[in-house]
Amino acid sequence: MKTKNQLAAAPWVFTVGFFLLWELVCRAFKISSFILPAPSTILLAVWEYRSQLTYHALHTLWMTFAGFGLAVGFGLLLGMLLGSSRLINAGSYPLLVGFNSIPKVAVVPILVFWFGVGWVPPVLTAFLISFFPIVVNVATGIATVEPEMEDVLRALGASKKDIVFKIGVPRAMPYFFGSLKVAITLAYVGSVIGEQNASNVGIGNLLTRASAAFEVPLVWAALVVLAVLGVIMYAITAYAERSMTGWAQRSQMAA
Amino acid sequence: MKPFVDIHDVTHVYARAEDGVPAVQNLTIRINEGEFAAIVGPSGCGKSTLMKLATGLQFPREGTVIVDGKEVGAPVKLAGMAFQNPTMLPWRTTVDNILLPLEIVEPHRSRLRKHKAEYVAKAEGLLEQVGLKGQGHKYPWQLSGGMQQRASLCRALIHEPKLLMLDEPFGALDSFTREELWCVMRDLHAARKVTIILVTHDLREAAFLADRVFCMSARPGHIVAEREVTFPRPRDLEITYTPEFSELVHELRGHIAQARKAA
């Protein structure tokens, strides 16, 4: 039981320790708050700008969820298609990998040409940056169905569709939820990039304006808010993963 | 008796085979309705190909495969299968795993939702027959290997197939569990009169269970010997320790040794 409690406490101890160390270093070496503000300074800034930060953070959250939702729907569909057809898989992989290799920062200006400045570019950036891991993982889960299992059903006259939906899709769920943890943080990066370049609201936009005005504590406060929200969203997807696919997590490693 | 599975002069090459050597060549085998046939042979002799041909998962390049009076041109739909690996789906309980074939095969497919309780009772009945009474609510990974294999037999039988295909189903089990499952298999066959084709490496298993044992040659596979097993049924495990039984196993071993040497 002792080790279980230790495991539960570890994230908090490590996090608090990290910030204490940071604070100590800043004070011991008298680092200027323009270069690296101490956590206490940042915390004060978070409190001071709380209404502004909340307003922009909610907007960013909304953009992220919209983009993430699109990525989940599109990723599942495309993953199912790729996983169930070797032809489509082989044909479209180079395209997908090529597209995924493009830095999405470079795509934002194009989105602005098409849709103007507003909520569309951040949502689409979040979508474009986060669908790839979902597609790859769902496709892998479906494509690796055991051949014996396939034989059992095919000998009964099951169609390809039966096999994909009865075995492939449920089997891909652990891969899918695993990929969501990656995708949610990516979507988040995507919406902030989109806001920095093509929006008048959101944490990304706040960051751009604060750094242009050399309001260093505000920049750091915004970064801290981003990090905290990221951890929360990751935790939500991790929770969803555990509750949906508990059957897949029974090894000692997952416990 | 009329043949239930009639494989006549079949030669089959897999499309993916790189060397183009046939998996089976001039394979002829007739298995009667309700018969328990065992097929033994050296490894890689095309025993699994024979299973795929008889269930319509593969179609022969040459020759004919007739099952239940019809030439096979599509998966036969009346077969149940069990493999060395129990292949239970880990996200379904044992009962839901056993019900899986009913979600595919008509008329059960369209009846399943409305008559779920009736089918669950049937699955529970099968579980009882194989010695897994009351274990249906567990997930497969909560069961031992032998118990999973028993459940996999239930899955192969739930839709009352006329043909049961067993591909080394007891190969991965310890010898005590294996002998227990031989008896389970013997009783299931006696109770259901289903035609069974058992592919195995274990000559004692073949001799104990089967009505006829077929020996296959090394690749490209064909039948080199056929041996009637005349021990009266029901057979007790004790017969495996009689001199007659040892003699039969020894004889079968001779056929396999010859087939291996010829390769």
Side-chain angles (χ1 to χ4, degrees), chain A residues 86 146 148-159 162 166-167 170-171 246-247 250, chain B residues 16 52 57 75-77 79 81 83 87 89-92 100-101 103-105 109 141 155 159:
Chain A
R86 289 171 58 147
E146 293 86 348
E148 286 101 344
M149 197 64 234
E150 229 179 305
D151 280 354
V152 166
L153 294 195
R154 275 182 56 220
L156 298 167
S159 64
D162 285 333
K166 299 244 179 257
I167 303 177
R171 194 181 180 290
W247 56 267
R250 48 186 195 273
Chain B
R16 277 195 225 167
K52 290 192 175 180
L57 291 173
V76 292
K77 300 193 184 184
M81 297 176 110
F83 300 89
T87 62
L89 303 173
W91 58 89
R92 288 173 171 240
L100 180 66
E103 294 172 24
I104 306 294
V105 181
R109 187 180 187 140
W141 37 270
R155 184 182 63 196
H159 56 293

mmCIF file of all heavy atoms in Angstrom, chain A residues 86 146 148-159 162 166-167 170-171 246-247 250, chain B residues 16 52 57 75-77 79 81 83 87 89-92 100-101 103-105 109 141 155 159:
data_model
loop_
_atom_site.group_PDB
_atom_site.id
_atom_site.type_symbol
_atom_site.label_atom_id
_atom_site.label_comp_id
_atom_site.label_asym_id
_atom_site.label_seq_id
_atom_site.Cartn_x
_atom_site.Cartn_y
_atom_site.Cartn_z
ATOM 1 N N ARG A 86 -6.060 -2.809 -48.029
ATOM 2 C CA ARG A 86 -4.609 -2.691 -48.246
ATOM 3 C C ARG A 86 -4.299 -1.779 -49.410
ATOM 4 O O ARG A 86 -3.278 -1.091 -49.417
ATOM 5 C CB ARG A 86 -4.023 -4.077 -48.511
ATOM 6 C CG ARG A 86 -4.027 -4.933 -47.264
ATOM 7 C CD ARG A 86 -3.666 -6.356 -47.584
ATOM 8 N NE ARG A 86 -2.354 -6.422 -48.210
ATOM 9 C CZ ARG A 86 -1.521 -7.441 -48.026
ATOM 10 N NH1 ARG A 86 -1.860 -8.401 -47.232
ATOM 11 N NH2 ARG A 86 -0.370 -7.477 -48.651
ATOM 12 N N GLU A 146 -6.119 -10.870 -35.862
ATOM 13 C CA GLU A 146 -5.513 -12.188 -36.017
ATOM 14 C C GLU A 146 -6.176 -12.932 -37.173
ATOM 15 O O GLU A 146 -7.392 -12.997 -37.241
ATOM 16 C CB GLU A 146 -5.689 -13.032 -34.746
ATOM 17 C CG GLU A 146 -4.950 -12.546 -33.536
ATOM 18 C CD GLU A 146 -5.734 -11.513 -32.751
ATOM 19 O OE1 GLU A 146 -6.756 -11.014 -33.280
ATOM 20 O OE2 GLU A 146 -5.318 -11.195 -31.634
ATOM 21 N N GLU A 148 -6.589 -16.072 -37.661
ATOM 22 C CA GLU A 148 -7.472 -17.162 -37.234
ATOM 23 C C GLU A 148 -8.872 -16.635 -36.926
ATOM 24 O O GLU A 148 -9.872 -17.237 -37.260
ATOM 25 C CB GLU A 148 -6.941 -17.855 -35.975
ATOM 26 C CG GLU A 148 -5.756 -18.746 -36.212
ATOM 27 C CD GLU A 148 -4.482 -18.063 -35.809
ATOM 28 O OE1 GLU A 148 -4.517 -16.812 -35.654
ATOM 29 O OE2 GLU A 148 -3.451 -18.749 -35.654
ATOM 30 N N MET A 149 -8.886 -15.458 -36.260
ATOM 31 C CA MET A 149 -10.175 -14.859 -35.904
ATOM 32 C C MET A 149 -10.955 -14.517 -37.175
ATOM 33 O O MET A 149 -12.167 -14.738 -37.254
ATOM 34 C CB MET A 149 -9.867 -13.584 -35.104
ATOM 35 C CG MET A 149 -11.012 -13.047 -34.325
ATOM 36 S SD MET A 149 -11.549 -14.177 -33.052
ATOM 37 C CE MET A 149 -13.265 -14.282 -33.475
ATOM 38 N N GLU A 150 -10.225 -14.011 -38.167
ATOM 39 C CA GLU A 150 -10.846 -13.685 -39.443
ATOM 40 C C GLU A 150 -11.407 -14.953 -40.087
ATOM 41 O O GLU A 150 -12.527 -14.949 -40.601
ATOM 42 C CB GLU A 150 -9.777 -13.078 -40.356
ATOM 43 C CG GLU A 150 -10.198 -11.783 -41.013
ATOM 44 C CD GLU A 150 -9.072 -11.244 -41.862
ATOM 45 O OE1 GLU A 150 -7.958 -11.072 -41.306
ATOM 46 O OE2 GLU A 150 -9.299 -11.003 -43.053
ATOM 47 N N ASP A 151 -10.631 -16.047 -40.028
ATOM 48 C CA ASP A 151 -11.077 -17.320 -40.617
ATOM 49 C C ASP A 151 -12.348 -17.817 -39.955
ATOM 50 O O ASP A 151 -13.269 -18.272 -40.631
ATOM 51 C CB ASP A 151 -9.977 -18.384 -40.465
ATOM 52 C CG ASP A 151 -8.896 -18.234 -41.517
ATOM 53 O OD1 ASP A 151 -9.071 -17.389 -42.417
ATOM 54 O OD2 ASP A 151 -7.883 -18.957 -41.439
ATOM 55 N N VAL A 152 -12.397 -17.727 -38.611
ATOM 56 C CA VAL A 152 -13.574 -18.194 -37.882
ATOM 57 C C VAL A 152 -14.819 -17.518 -38.442
ATOM 58 O O VAL A 152 -15.828 -18.165 -38.730
ATOM 59 C CB VAL A 152 -13.444 -17.894 -36.373
ATOM 60 C CG1 VAL A 152 -14.785 -18.069 -35.670
ATOM 61 C CG2 VAL A 152 -12.406 -18.799 -35.738
ATOM 62 N N LEU A 153 -14.736 -16.191 -38.622
ATOM 63 C CA LEU A 153 -15.920 -15.467 -39.083
ATOM 64 C C LEU A 153 -16.159 -15.639 -40.576
ATOM 65 O O LEU A 153 -17.306 -15.762 -41.010
ATOM 66 C CB LEU A 153 -15.795 -13.984 -38.734
ATOM 67 C CG LEU A 153 -15.815 -13.667 -37.240
ATOM 68 C CD1 LEU A 153 -16.058 -12.199 -37.018
ATOM 69 C CD2 LEU A 153 -16.870 -14.472 -36.514
ATOM 70 N N ARG A 154 -15.076 -15.669 -41.359
ATOM 71 C CA ARG A 154 -15.271 -15.803 -42.805
ATOM 72 C C ARG A 154 -15.889 -17.145 -43.160
ATOM 73 O O ARG A 154 -16.722 -17.241 -44.064
ATOM 74 C CB ARG A 154 -13.946 -15.586 -43.545
ATOM 75 C CG ARG A 154 -13.649 -14.126 -43.807
ATOM 76 C CD ARG A 154 -12.364 -13.954 -44.581
ATOM 77 N NE ARG A 154 -12.388 -14.700 -45.833
ATOM 78 C CZ ARG A 154 -11.336 -15.379 -46.316
ATOM 79 N NH1 ARG A 154 -10.209 -15.404 -45.655
ATOM 80 N NH2 ARG A 154 -11.424 -16.011 -47.455
ATOM 81 N N ALA A 155 -15.487 -18.187 -42.420
ATOM 82 C CA ALA A 155 -16.051 -19.513 -42.690
ATOM 83 C C ALA A 155 -17.550 -19.536 -42.420
ATOM 84 O O ALA A 155 -18.262 -20.403 -42.901
ATOM 85 C CB ALA A 155 -15.347 -20.566 -41.848
ATOM 86 N N LEU A 156 -18.040 -18.572 -41.646
ATOM 87 C CA LEU A 156 -19.472 -18.487 -41.363
ATOM 88 C C LEU A 156 -20.188 -17.603 -42.378
ATOM 89 O O LEU A 156 -21.386 -17.399 -42.290
ATOM 90 C CB LEU A 156 -19.698 -17.901 -39.970
ATOM 91 C CG LEU A 156 -19.134 -18.706 -38.804
ATOM 92 C CD1 LEU A 156 -19.154 -17.879 -37.551
ATOM 93 C CD2 LEU A 156 -19.935 -19.972 -38.634
ATOM 94 N N GLY A 157 -19.413 -17.057 -43.305
ATOM 95 C CA GLY A 157 -20.008 -16.205 -44.321
ATOM 96 C C GLY A 157 -20.022 -14.732 -43.950
ATOM 97 O O GLY A 157 -20.812 -13.959 -44.496
ATOM 98 N N ALA A 158 -19.146 -14.325 -43.015
ATOM 99 C CA ALA A 158 -19.108 -12.916 -42.615
ATOM 100 C C ALA A 158 -18.534 -12.063 -43.740
ATOM 101 O O ALA A 158 -17.624 -12.481 -44.444
ATOM 102 C CB ALA A 158 -18.250 -12.761 -41.360
ATOM 103 N N SER A 159 -19.091 -10.863 -43.899
ATOM 104 C CA SER A 159 -18.571 -9.948 -44.907
ATOM 105 C C SER A 159 -17.397 -9.174 -44.317
ATOM 106 O O SER A 159 -17.166 -9.196 -43.113
ATOM 107 C CB SER A 159 -19.665 -8.969 -45.328
ATOM 108 O OG SER A 159 -20.022 -8.177 -44.206
ATOM 109 N N ASP A 162 -18.637 -6.914 -41.649
ATOM 110 C CA ASP A 162 -18.858 -7.605 -40.366
ATOM 111 C C ASP A 162 -17.559 -7.694 -39.575
ATOM 112 O O ASP A 162 -17.518 -7.408 -38.378
ATOM 113 C CB ASP A 162 -19.360 -9.045 -40.605
ATOM 114 C CG ASP A 162 -20.815 -9.093 -41.028
ATOM 115 O OD1 ASP A 162 -21.547 -8.164 -40.659
ATOM 116 O OD2 ASP A 162 -21.200 -10.050 -41.724
ATOM 117 N N LYS A 166 -17.132 -5.893 -36.084
ATOM 118 C CA LYS A 166 -17.221 -6.777 -34.915
ATOM 119 C C LYS A 166 -15.863 -6.971 -34.245
ATOM 120 O O LYS A 166 -15.796 -7.164 -33.035
ATOM 121 C CB LYS A 166 -17.766 -8.153 -35.313
ATOM 122 C CG LYS A 166 -19.150 -8.094 -35.890
ATOM 123 C CD LYS A 166 -20.135 -8.829 -35.011
ATOM 124 C CE LYS A 166 -21.521 -8.739 -35.586
ATOM 125 N NZ LYS A 166 -22.332 -7.776 -34.867
ATOM 126 N N ILE A 167 -14.804 -6.992 -35.032
ATOM 127 C CA ILE A 167 -13.486 -7.290 -34.455
ATOM 128 C C ILE A 167 -12.532 -6.117 -34.623
ATOM 129 O O ILE A 167 -11.933 -5.655 -33.656
ATOM 130 C CB ILE A 167 -12.884 -8.540 -35.112
ATOM 131 C CG1 ILE A 167 -13.845 -9.703 -34.948
ATOM 132 C CG2 ILE A 167 -11.548 -8.865 -34.472
ATOM 133 C CD1 ILE A 167 -13.383 -10.954 -35.608
ATOM 134 N N PRO A 170 -13.484 -2.630 -32.416
ATOM 135 C CA PRO A 170 -13.252 -2.773 -30.961
ATOM 136 C C PRO A 170 -11.799 -3.052 -30.642
ATOM 137 O O PRO A 170 -11.258 -2.554 -29.660
ATOM 138 C CB PRO A 170 -14.109 -3.983 -30.568
ATOM 139 C CG PRO A 170 -14.971 -4.303 -31.706
ATOM 140 C CD PRO A 170 -14.486 -3.599 -32.912
ATOM 141 N N ARG A 171 -11.143 -3.834 -31.504
ATOM 142 C CA ARG A 171 -9.753 -4.168 -31.277
ATOM 143 C C ARG A 171 -8.857 -2.935 -31.383
ATOM 144 O O ARG A 171 -7.818 -2.839 -30.729
ATOM 145 C CB ARG A 171 -9.337 -5.176 -32.354
ATOM 146 C CG ARG A 171 -8.063 -5.840 -32.058
ATOM 147 C CD ARG A 171 -7.707 -6.796 -33.174
ATOM 148 N NE ARG A 171 -6.462 -7.434 -32.860
ATOM 149 C CZ ARG A 171 -5.321 -6.799 -32.862
ATOM 150 N NH1 ARG A 171 -5.266 -5.527 -33.199
ATOM 151 N NH2 ARG A 171 -4.212 -7.428 -32.529
ATOM 152 N N GLY A 246 -10.599 -0.755 -20.390
ATOM 153 C CA GLY A 246 -9.960 -1.383 -19.237
ATOM 154 C C GLY A 246 -9.482 -2.795 -19.538
ATOM 155 O O GLY A 246 -8.478 -3.250 -18.988
ATOM 156 N N TRP A 247 -10.196 -3.487 -20.440
ATOM 157 C CA TRP A 247 -9.826 -4.859 -20.771
ATOM 158 C C TRP A 247 -8.432 -4.947 -21.359
ATOM 159 O O TRP A 247 -7.788 -5.986 -21.299
ATOM 160 C CB TRP A 247 -10.827 -5.472 -21.742
ATOM 161 C CG TRP A 247 -11.016 -4.697 -23.008
ATOM 162 C CD1 TRP A 247 -11.951 -3.748 -23.242
ATOM 163 C CD2 TRP A 247 -10.255 -4.795 -24.215
ATOM 164 N NE1 TRP A 247 -11.827 -3.254 -24.509
ATOM 165 C CE2 TRP A 247 -10.791 -3.875 -25.129
ATOM 166 C CE3 TRP A 247 -9.175 -5.571 -24.605
ATOM 167 C CZ2 TRP A 247 -10.278 -3.696 -26.403
ATOM 168 C CZ3 TRP A 247 -8.663 -5.395 -25.883
ATOM 169 C CH2 TRP A 247 -9.224 -4.463 -26.766
ATOM 170 N N ARG A 250 -4.410 -4.700 -18.449
ATOM 171 C CA ARG A 250 -4.390 -5.561 -17.283
ATOM 172 C C ARG A 250 -2.982 -6.037 -16.961
ATOM 173 O O ARG A 250 -2.790 -6.840 -16.092
ATOM 174 C CB ARG A 250 -5.332 -6.739 -17.496
ATOM 175 C CG ARG A 250 -5.160 -7.406 -18.822
ATOM 176 C CD ARG A 250 -6.181 -8.468 -19.072
ATOM 177 N NE ARG A 250 -5.767 -9.291 -20.169
ATOM 178 C CZ ARG A 250 -6.016 -9.018 -21.426
ATOM 179 N NH1 ARG A 250 -6.704 -7.955 -21.754
ATOM 180 N NH2 ARG A 250 -5.590 -9.806 -22.374
ATOM 181 N N ARG B 16 0.175 -16.435 -52.893
ATOM 182 C CA ARG B 16 1.339 -15.750 -52.334
ATOM 183 C C ARG B 16 2.589 -16.637 -52.260
ATOM 184 O O ARG B 16 3.636 -16.185 -51.838
ATOM 185 C CB ARG B 16 1.007 -15.256 -50.924
ATOM 186 C CG ARG B 16 0.275 -13.929 -50.934
ATOM 187 C CD ARG B 16 0.307 -13.340 -49.545
ATOM 188 N NE ARG B 16 -1.001 -12.842 -49.170
ATOM 189 C CZ ARG B 16 -1.312 -12.506 -47.930
ATOM 190 N NH1 ARG B 16 -0.452 -12.626 -46.965
ATOM 191 N NH2 ARG B 16 -2.521 -12.038 -47.667
ATOM 192 N N LYS B 52 -8.809 -25.185 -44.919
ATOM 193 C CA LYS B 52 -9.302 -24.003 -45.634
ATOM 194 C C LYS B 52 -10.094 -24.386 -46.872
ATOM 195 O O LYS B 52 -11.064 -23.717 -47.232
ATOM 196 C CB LYS B 52 -8.133 -23.097 -46.009
ATOM 197 C CG LYS B 52 -7.547 -22.438 -44.782
ATOM 198 C CD LYS B 52 -6.593 -21.326 -45.110
ATOM 199 C CE LYS B 52 -6.196 -20.702 -43.780
ATOM 200 N NZ LYS B 52 -5.273 -19.618 -43.887
ATOM 201 N N LEU B 57 -12.616 -21.326 -47.494
ATOM 202 C CA LEU B 57 -11.804 -20.121 -47.324
ATOM 203 C C LEU B 57 -10.789 -20.003 -48.459
ATOM 204 O O LEU B 57 -10.256 -18.940 -48.731
ATOM 205 C CB LEU B 57 -11.074 -20.147 -45.976
ATOM 206 C CG LEU B 57 -11.974 -20.011 -44.756
ATOM 207 C CD1 LEU B 57 -11.184 -20.212 -43.479
ATOM 208 C CD2 LEU B 57 -12.650 -18.652 -44.750
ATOM 209 N N PRO B 75 -17.431 -19.410 -48.839
ATOM 210 C CA PRO B 75 -17.365 -19.981 -47.487
ATOM 211 C C PRO B 75 -18.635 -20.769 -47.175
ATOM 212 O O PRO B 75 -19.736 -20.340 -47.513
ATOM 213 C CB PRO B 75 -17.240 -18.743 -46.599
ATOM 214 C CG PRO B 75 -16.513 -17.762 -47.441
ATOM 215 C CD PRO B 75 -17.025 -17.991 -48.849
ATOM 216 N N VAL B 76 -18.471 -21.957 -46.576
ATOM 217 C CA VAL B 76 -19.591 -22.904 -46.525
ATOM 218 C C VAL B 76 -20.701 -22.542 -45.537
ATOM 219 O O VAL B 76 -21.800 -23.063 -45.620
ATOM 220 C CB VAL B 76 -19.101 -24.338 -46.235
ATOM 221 C CG1 VAL B 76 -18.311 -24.868 -47.407
ATOM 222 C CG2 VAL B 76 -18.268 -24.377 -44.967
ATOM 223 N N LYS B 77 -20.411 -21.688 -44.572
ATOM 224 C CA LYS B 77 -21.405 -21.185 -43.618
ATOM 225 C C LYS B 77 -21.932 -22.223 -42.642
ATOM 226 O O LYS B 77 -22.723 -21.896 -41.771
ATOM 227 C CB LYS B 77 -22.616 -20.544 -44.325
ATOM 228 C CG LYS B 77 -22.237 -19.382 -45.195
ATOM 229 C CD LYS B 77 -23.443 -18.588 -45.626
ATOM 230 C CE LYS B 77 -23.013 -17.483 -46.569
ATOM 231 N NZ LYS B 77 -24.080 -16.612 -46.953
ATOM 232 N N ALA B 79 -19.827 -24.402 -41.039
ATOM 233 C CA ALA B 79 -18.671 -24.930 -40.312
ATOM 234 C C ALA B 79 -18.420 -24.149 -39.029
ATOM 235 O O ALA B 79 -18.666 -22.951 -38.955
ATOM 236 C CB ALA B 79 -17.433 -24.868 -41.200
ATOM 237 N N MET B 81 -15.148 -23.570 -36.281
ATOM 238 C CA MET B 81 -13.694 -23.780 -36.269
ATOM 239 C C MET B 81 -13.110 -23.484 -34.905
ATOM 240 O O MET B 81 -13.562 -22.590 -34.199
ATOM 241 C CB MET B 81 -13.023 -22.838 -37.266
ATOM 242 C CG MET B 81 -13.409 -23.061 -38.697
ATOM 243 S SD MET B 81 -12.624 -21.812 -39.727
ATOM 244 C CE MET B 81 -11.461 -22.814 -40.592
ATOM 245 N N PHE B 83 -8.978 -23.324 -33.113
ATOM 246 C CA PHE B 83 -7.553 -23.374 -33.425
ATOM 247 C C PHE B 83 -6.731 -23.600 -32.161
ATOM 248 O O PHE B 83 -7.246 -23.565 -31.048
ATOM 249 C CB PHE B 83 -7.108 -22.056 -34.063
ATOM 250 C CG PHE B 83 -7.825 -21.728 -35.329
ATOM 251 C CD1 PHE B 83 -8.999 -21.003 -35.304
ATOM 252 C CD2 PHE B 83 -7.326 -22.150 -36.543
ATOM 253 C CE1 PHE B 83 -9.668 -20.700 -36.473
ATOM 254 C CE2 PHE B 83 -7.980 -21.849 -37.715
ATOM 255 C CZ PHE B 83 -9.164 -21.125 -37.687
ATOM 256 N N THR B 87 -8.144 -17.596 -29.568
ATOM 257 C CA THR B 87 -8.658 -16.384 -30.235
ATOM 258 C C THR B 87 -9.969 -15.877 -29.653
ATOM 259 O O THR B 87 -10.897 -15.547 -30.381
ATOM 260 C CB THR B 87 -8.860 -16.583 -31.752
ATOM 261 O OG1 THR B 87 -9.833 -17.612 -31.963
ATOM 262 C CG2 THR B 87 -7.582 -16.936 -32.457
ATOM 263 N N LEU B 89 -12.084 -12.886 -27.930
ATOM 264 C CA LEU B 89 -11.956 -11.436 -27.970
ATOM 265 C C LEU B 89 -11.928 -10.891 -26.536
ATOM 266 O O LEU B 89 -12.870 -11.115 -25.780
ATOM 267 C CB LEU B 89 -13.130 -10.821 -28.740
ATOM 268 C CG LEU B 89 -13.285 -11.342 -30.163
ATOM 269 C CD1 LEU B 89 -14.563 -10.810 -30.798
ATOM 270 C CD2 LEU B 89 -12.083 -10.974 -31.001
ATOM 271 N N PRO B 90 -10.867 -10.173 -26.161
ATOM 272 C CA PRO B 90 -10.703 -9.798 -24.751
ATOM 273 C C PRO B 90 -11.732 -8.775 -24.255
ATOM 274 O O PRO B 90 -11.889 -8.613 -23.050
ATOM 275 C CB PRO B 90 -9.280 -9.239 -24.685
ATOM 276 C CG PRO B 90 -8.935 -8.866 -26.082
ATOM 277 C CD PRO B 90 -9.705 -9.784 -26.970
ATOM 278 N N TRP B 91 -12.416 -8.076 -25.150
ATOM 279 C CA TRP B 91 -13.373 -7.068 -24.691
ATOM 280 C C TRP B 91 -14.777 -7.639 -24.506
ATOM 281 O O TRP B 91 -15.685 -6.940 -24.093
ATOM 282 C CB TRP B 91 -13.414 -5.869 -25.637
ATOM 283 C CG TRP B 91 -13.772 -6.223 -27.051
ATOM 284 C CD1 TRP B 91 -15.009 -6.287 -27.584
ATOM 285 C CD2 TRP B 91 -12.869 -6.560 -28.103
ATOM 286 N NE1 TRP B 91 -14.947 -6.664 -28.899
ATOM 287 C CE2 TRP B 91 -13.638 -6.824 -29.242
ATOM 288 C CE3 TRP B 91 -11.465 -6.669 -28.178
ATOM 289 C CZ2 TRP B 91 -13.062 -7.187 -30.453
ATOM 290 C CZ3 TRP B 91 -10.906 -7.028 -29.392
ATOM 291 C CH2 TRP B 91 -11.698 -7.275 -30.504
ATOM 292 N N ARG B 92 -14.943 -8.912 -24.813
ATOM 293 C CA ARG B 92 -16.246 -9.543 -24.630
ATOM 294 C C ARG B 92 -16.153 -10.568 -23.508
ATOM 295 O O ARG B 92 -15.129 -11.235 -23.373
ATOM 296 C CB ARG B 92 -16.656 -10.293 -25.906
ATOM 297 C CG ARG B 92 -17.052 -9.383 -27.043
ATOM 298 C CD ARG B 92 -17.272 -10.233 -28.279
ATOM 299 N NE ARG B 92 -17.850 -9.447 -29.359
ATOM 300 C CZ ARG B 92 -19.028 -9.733 -29.914
ATOM 301 N NH1 ARG B 92 -19.733 -10.763 -29.522
ATOM 302 N NH2 ARG B 92 -19.494 -8.980 -30.892
ATOM 303 N N LEU B 100 -20.748 -14.916 -30.588
ATOM 304 C CA LEU B 100 -20.286 -14.190 -31.777
ATOM 305 C C LEU B 100 -20.732 -14.805 -33.113
ATOM 306 O O LEU B 100 -21.222 -14.080 -33.982
ATOM 307 C CB LEU B 100 -18.757 -14.034 -31.721
ATOM 308 C CG LEU B 100 -18.106 -13.293 -32.881
ATOM 309 C CD1 LEU B 100 -18.531 -11.830 -32.889
ATOM 310 C CD2 LEU B 100 -16.588 -13.381 -32.815
ATOM 311 N N PRO B 101 -20.598 -16.127 -33.314
ATOM 312 C CA PRO B 101 -21.021 -16.671 -34.612
ATOM 313 C C PRO B 101 -22.486 -16.394 -34.923
ATOM 314 O O PRO B 101 -22.856 -16.253 -36.089
ATOM 315 C CB PRO B 101 -20.790 -18.189 -34.449
ATOM 316 C CG PRO B 101 -19.723 -18.291 -33.428
ATOM 317 C CD PRO B 101 -19.966 -17.158 -32.462
ATOM 318 N N GLU B 103 -24.017 -13.755 -34.415
ATOM 319 C CA GLU B 103 -24.163 -12.400 -34.945
ATOM 320 C C GLU B 103 -23.871 -12.370 -36.438
ATOM 321 O O GLU B 103 -24.041 -11.351 -37.099
ATOM 322 C CB GLU B 103 -23.218 -11.439 -34.198
ATOM 323 C CG GLU B 103 -23.620 -11.281 -32.747
ATOM 324 C CD GLU B 103 -22.601 -10.498 -31.942
ATOM 325 O OE1 GLU B 103 -21.848 -9.715 -32.549
ATOM 326 O OE2 GLU B 103 -22.558 -10.674 -30.716
ATOM 327 N N ILE B 104 -23.387 -13.500 -36.975
ATOM 328 C CA ILE B 104 -23.045 -13.570 -38.398
ATOM 329 C C ILE B 104 -24.036 -14.447 -39.155
ATOM 330 O O ILE B 104 -24.526 -14.092 -40.222
ATOM 331 C CB ILE B 104 -21.621 -14.164 -38.575
ATOM 332 C CG1 ILE B 104 -20.598 -13.396 -37.748
ATOM 333 C CG2 ILE B 104 -21.234 -14.196 -40.046
ATOM 334 C CD1 ILE B 104 -20.372 -11.984 -38.182
ATOM 335 N N VAL B 105 -24.321 -15.636 -38.593
ATOM 336 C CA VAL B 105 -25.062 -16.652 -39.341
ATOM 337 C C VAL B 105 -26.572 -16.412 -39.253
ATOM 338 O O VAL B 105 -27.103 -16.179 -38.174
ATOM 339 C CB VAL B 105 -24.739 -18.055 -38.772
ATOM 340 C CG1 VAL B 105 -25.480 -19.131 -39.559
ATOM 341 C CG2 VAL B 105 -23.255 -18.318 -38.817
ATOM 342 N N ARG B 109 -28.825 -14.399 -36.820
ATOM 343 C CA ARG B 109 -28.404 -13.018 -36.879
ATOM 344 C C ARG B 109 -29.557 -12.056 -36.669
ATOM 345 O O ARG B 109 -29.460 -11.109 -35.900
ATOM 346 C CB ARG B 109 -27.752 -12.770 -38.239
ATOM 347 C CG ARG B 109 -27.136 -11.426 -38.371
ATOM 348 C CD ARG B 109 -26.512 -11.248 -39.752
ATOM 349 N NE ARG B 109 -25.794 -9.976 -39.755
ATOM 350 C CZ ARG B 109 -24.635 -9.787 -40.324
ATOM 351 N NH1 ARG B 109 -24.027 -10.759 -40.952
ATOM 352 N NH2 ARG B 109 -24.053 -8.615 -40.283
ATOM 353 N N TRP B 141 -9.603 -13.468 -20.459
ATOM 354 C CA TRP B 141 -8.277 -13.372 -19.835
ATOM 355 C C TRP B 141 -8.321 -13.665 -18.344
ATOM 356 O O TRP B 141 -7.287 -13.715 -17.680
ATOM 357 C CB TRP B 141 -7.632 -12.008 -20.116
ATOM 358 C CG TRP B 141 -8.587 -10.856 -20.133
ATOM 359 C CD1 TRP B 141 -9.265 -10.392 -21.228
ATOM 360 C CD2 TRP B 141 -8.974 -10.020 -19.041
ATOM 361 N NE1 TRP B 141 -10.056 -9.328 -20.882
ATOM 362 C CE2 TRP B 141 -9.888 -9.078 -19.542
ATOM 363 C CE3 TRP B 141 -8.635 -9.977 -17.683
ATOM 364 C CZ2 TRP B 141 -10.478 -8.093 -18.743
ATOM 365 C CZ3 TRP B 141 -9.215 -8.997 -16.896
ATOM 366 C CH2 TRP B 141 -10.127 -8.080 -17.436
ATOM 367 N N ARG B 155 -17.774 -21.847 -28.747
ATOM 368 C CA ARG B 155 -18.012 -20.879 -29.809
ATOM 369 C C ARG B 155 -18.136 -21.589 -31.155
ATOM 370 O O ARG B 155 -18.943 -21.204 -32.009
ATOM 371 C CB ARG B 155 -16.891 -19.839 -29.860
ATOM 372 C CG ARG B 155 -17.156 -18.762 -30.893
ATOM 373 C CD ARG B 155 -16.029 -17.772 -30.987
ATOM 374 N NE ARG B 155 -14.805 -18.430 -31.418
ATOM 375 C CZ ARG B 155 -13.600 -17.893 -31.310
ATOM 376 N NH1 ARG B 155 -13.457 -16.700 -30.781
ATOM 377 N NH2 ARG B 155 -12.537 -18.542 -31.724
ATOM 378 N N HIS B 159 -23.668 -22.420 -33.125
ATOM 379 C CA HIS B 159 -24.635 -22.303 -34.222
ATOM 380 C C HIS B 159 -24.993 -23.672 -34.803
ATOM 381 O O HIS B 159 -25.512 -23.754 -35.915
ATOM 382 C CB HIS B 159 -24.089 -21.370 -35.306
ATOM 383 C CG HIS B 159 -22.753 -21.788 -35.833
ATOM 384 N ND1 HIS B 159 -21.618 -21.767 -35.063
ATOM 385 C CD2 HIS B 159 -22.359 -22.226 -37.049
ATOM 386 C CE1 HIS B 159 -20.592 -22.176 -35.783
ATOM 387 N NE2 HIS B 159 -21.017 -22.472 -36.991
#
